[in-house]
Amino acid sequence: MSEMRVIGIRVEQPQNQPVLLLREVSGDRYLPIWIGQAEATAIVLEQEGVTPIRPLTHDLIKILIADLGHTLKEVRIVDLQEGTFYADLVFDNDLRISARPSDSIAIALRVGCPIYAEEPVLEEAGLVMPDEREDEVEKFKEFLESVSPDDFKATDS
């Protein structure tokens, strides 16, 4: 299992599909996850420090967790099946709740908990990008030009 950090969101053209990019904290692999527009917006707002007038869904979940007396310890990206990623929210009492990675990461950013990816997920979908330049955003743009969501769908081999 590797700790991941959020690099950012980019919208892939021409499909207008948001892509969340994670990178290993202590490694060279990147993990791209195609996500929905609402979740992309929630992640970007949190990264930019924007506080909406009324809480968005992920803000409400953060409030509920705290007000119910629990702590979200970590988020784990645990599986990849037929191009769909799966995540678990892991709470202080070792309760695990399955959730979409996009929602899980939006919540993790709000509560400040770590994000991990299981090794089999990274082996299947993780990518190592050439380290010729230090600018991760530029490398991300180049990467997006060379892949599509179909590249991460399981095959019958």
Side-chain angles (χ1 to χ4, degrees), residues 2-9 18-24 30-36 38-48 57-59 61-62 65 72-79 85-91 97-118 121-122:
S2 292
E3 185 171 358
M4 309 297 288
R5 68 180 172 97
V6 176
I7 298 298
I9 302 278
V19 181
L20 166 65
L21 186 67
L22 305 174
R23 182 177 184 188
E24 283 182 297
Y30 291 80
L31 187 62
I33 302 175
W34 277 258
I35 64 174
E39 295 78 18
T41 300
I43 290 168
V44 169
L45 288 175
E46 185 61 25
Q47 283 188 306
E48 293 179 355
T57 303
H58 301 97
D59 302 310
I61 292 170
K62 173 188 173 186
I65 291 168
L72 180 61
K73 287 189 343 185
E74 61 191 37
V75 164
R76 292 186 182 182
I77 302 169
V78 295
D79 202 4
F85 289 89
Y86 294 82
D88 285 345
L89 299 168
V90 182
F91 292 90
I97 297 176
S98 181
R100 296 182 304 183
S102 55
D103 289 323
S104 300
I105 290 168
I107 296 166
L109 290 173
R110 283 162 172 74
V111 302
C113 74
I115 301 163
Y116 297 98
E118 298 285 347
V121 174
L122 286 169

